[in-house]
Amino acid sequence: MVEGGFTKLFQKRSLVRFTQKYQPLGSAEPEEESQEECELKVIEQEKEVTVLPPKDACKCHKEDLAKALNVDLHTGLSQNSVLQRRLKHGWNEFSVDNTEPIWKKYLDQFKNPLILLLLASALVSVITKEYEDAASITVAVLIVVTVAFIQEYRSEKSLEELNKLVPPECNCLREGKLQHLLARELVPGDIIYLSVGDRVPADLRLIEVTDLLVDESSFTGEAEPCNKTDGVLLEAGDITTLSNVVFMGTLVRYGKGKGIVIGTGENSQFGEVFKMMQAEETPKTPLQKSMDRLGKQLTLFSFGIIGLIMLIGWLQGKHLLSMFTIGVSLAVAAIPEGLPIVVTVTLVLGVLRMAKKRVIVKKLPIVETLGCCNVICSDKTGTLTANEMTVTRLVTSDGFQAEVSGVGYNGEGNVYLLPSKEILKEFSNVSVGKLVEAGCVVNNAIIRKNSVIGQPTEGALIALAMKMELADIKDIYVRKKEIPFSSEQKWMAVKCMLKNQDQEDVYFMKGAFEEVIRYCTMYNSSGISLTLTPQQKAIYQQEEKRMGSSGLRVLALASGPELGKLTFLGLVGIIDPPRAGVREAVQVLFESGVSVKMITGDALETAVAIGQNIGLCNGKLKAMSGEELDQLAEAELSATVTNVSIFFRTSPKHKVKIIKALQRAGAVVSMTGDGVNDAVALKSADIGIAMGQAGTDVSKEAANMILVDDDFSTVMNAIEEGKGIFYNIKNFVRFQLSTSISALSLITLSTVLNLPNPLNAMQILWINIIMDGPPAQSLGVEPVDRDTIKQPPRCITDTILSKSLILKIFMSAVIIISGTLFVFWKENPESGITPRTTTMTFTCFVFFDLFNALTCRSQTKLIFEIGFFRNRMFLYSVLGSFLGQLAVIYVPPLQKIFQTENLGVLDLLFLTGLASSVFIMSELVKLCEKHCCQPKHTKECHN
């Protein structure tokens, strides 16, 4: 606004100077006033120009539209008009609220309840003058938040590099000149020229078109480009029916056009989706919820310890303040400060492993969320399919049938004659060769660098010719005339003659079967033209219906000397086929309890064909349209959507409705998509997954995760990582809590029963290092188990501290406490505690710790199943801890610090045998669970 005000003032001042210089003195003031009045009128007039909704603009004649937007269709807007309109409508861009400074992003990492609990315990440690504890806890917290911040910052930077911005440039008519401008400079009323390959820079009402085809798949999900017109529409339906309007971000595939800007920035259709996305709240991840619950559980546990110690002390008549200090110290020791580090490190390693598999994860906890995911809603076009039209089936006029392999425009694949599966090249089968030749000649598409310039359907016919080694056959013809395709006639024809030959002209025609057959009097039979009978027509019509019902787009082809006397050549079936590996991925996901649902803007037949092709619900498909969705009440919708596997003819609002209904039904929903029409759904899903190459900028902004190579099957790897990460966190929690409870119980028992302390301060510090150090941390990097993907999704209500885990923690703690107290009792002479007593007790506890870590590597699998050597970091850390313990016992300087003495070989063997009891008991429990509780476990996980 300041800039606009300054411009206005500048214009007025320059106007004053101009009149003062060139007008007579007496007439200067009135002239100035009249000029100012004129300018004010212009400004006032400009203020009245408003953005026109597409549904209103499509009904206007171009002259009426020009009048409403105050623009001359032959010269465009003046610079003054542009400036005034920009004051009101702003720049043609989106204001993403990414102004959050780095320091604030860093401080946001401290919002984790467990981090806040640790900081509180550090504060208590300072108050109680336990400065070493306070320092170690603070360092642990700083490491955690810094690692998390760096990883998320790196992911954001990777995303910035990946993002391709919405159209940066365009051709615009201003002040009678065609100018090349940045798209952000456009205002309502600008006249834009479009040509092949252009991204539409704003919402435009078309006023001139020449064979204009626009790819709107990013909005509608329709793979086939839309045929655009410049005529007035009498009725305005949904955006897919507005044939005289093109939308920001869509792509011109063929032809050229001219249009008036009717909507810019957030007032465009693209902007509507963007505003919906910005308003949508991203749900908390299951791991965040689990960590919140664990933080609360540990807080209650801490207060419970303080209360119990104070009560016992009060009953024994001890001083309350001293008992409170002891209680707080124990509570601080009970909180596993290593847990946030392990969670962060585990998540970071998961993110890095995903990065190697070409997946960018924007937020750390998102990786683990996929472990709970039990429903994947996927957009069809560009996600499950490649958004590359491909010929898959041929039927010749004399009854030959062939299938085509290979996807896209690279020419890789073969044509197989059925049923013999003979590979066909050139004219090895004359009928198939003539059919492919016609498709190649009556064609305006060009394939360059594996991408099509022109109409995708025509690109599919060129790719077919490449597979048959006939791509150059059109060069032997000279085109004399073209009758372009139109939506009314539904066919296209070209008139050609062979180069260097004086033969008669030949017509090639392609189009809808019912239209092409009207121009045919003959049919081809192995290169010979025979009279076309009604029986033959009926056979072709039946074949065309059969191909259409299987989701194929059917084109008929013919050739001949004149349009009324063509020879029918056959039918070609085209579809946007599934991506490679999608069928296998869907099958694996189905077997592991993850339901895949397809959401598309396509028609029912195409959607069902793709659904069957990729094996949705093992072929047991149930479909629902967007209209049917609108008719259902909220409660009814939640009950219905779980059983539906295909949603067709859907809009962005329908996608969000489906996701919300599934979430209300208790599902953890992942949404994959690439278009503008997917953005709101990506944001509202528990985890949004965008495509890196085909994905629009707005979809990548909304998503939590990006598949760099657009490979749907990498979602499987992400789910595997998610499940593995949660298991690793549980393993660590089990080890750390069983160790800390054991250590606490020993100190608590000795305090309460007035017994001598079995461990001194330095020994407790050493145990703490093992408890939070390398052996514990290495549990977090346990490689993902090969059978993880086969496990059903984790229930969202499951806490990290489940009942079975708490029982295992207490079982391990009881064994460790019993064994350590037994050694303490056995080695405690009547004369009092000696260095040997504490050395034996201390070493016994450390050995128990190491065996406990070994069994905590998996909650369900025996050590022989997971293998001793899979996690090398664990082996090195356990070996390092063992050697460190030997150094503490046998190295003289360390003996003085830790108050230990030498132990004999038999002592070490005895302690090793006793400490292994915790490992043996845990392995036996796993064995019992495996044989007795397996069916129950599976059932619970499925719920």
Side-chain angles (χ1 to χ4, degrees), residues 39 47 59 93 138 150 236 243 258 265 281 298 325 356 399 403 474 505 523 670 698 713 725 797 830 856:
E39 193 175 87
K47 282 182 180 176
K59 298 177 190 173
E93 60 189 5
T138 306
I150 289 169
S243 59
K258 180 179 172 184
E281 284 293 320
L298 291 174
T325 306
K356 286 177 186 172
E403 65 178 16
K474 68 191 300 184
D505 295 338
Y523 75 94
S670 167
V698 74
S713 56
I725 281 166
T797 50
E830 291 178 10
C856 285

Side-chain angles (χ1 to χ4, degrees), residues 721-732:
E721 283 293 339
K723 289 176 179 176
I725 281 166
F726 190 78
Y727 294 148
N728 285 352
I729 291 169
K730 281 187 87 164
N731 296 342
F732 171 81

Side-chain angles (χ1 to χ4, degrees), residues 60-114:
C60 295
H61 287 276
K62 60 181 180 182
E63 293 79 11
D64 297 334
L65 193 67
K67 194 175 178 183
L69 291 168
N70 194 24
V71 60
D72 186 321
L73 296 178
H74 303 292
T75 59
L77 294 175
S78 66
Q79 199 57 40
N80 185 52
S81 295
V82 171
L83 289 170
Q84 300 306 330
R85 291 178 194 211
R86 192 168 295 137
L87 289 176
K88 182 174 182 184
H89 302 289
W91 295 95
N92 180 30
E93 60 189 5
F94 306 107
S95 53
V96 182
D97 193 17
N98 274 348
T99 52
E100 199 175 68
I102 288 179
W103 62 266
K104 193 174 186 303
K105 287 182 181 179
Y106 185 78
L107 291 179
D108 282 346
Q109 304 290 335
F110 287 90
K111 289 180 181 176
N112 184 326
L114 211 55

Side-chain angles (χ1 to χ4, degrees), residues 51-61 65 205 233 236 242 262:
V51 171
L52 274 177
K55 289 185 180 182
D56 293 341
C58 70
K59 298 177 190 173
C60 295
H61 287 276
L65 193 67
R205 160 68 163 89
L233 300 183
L242 305 183
I262 56 170

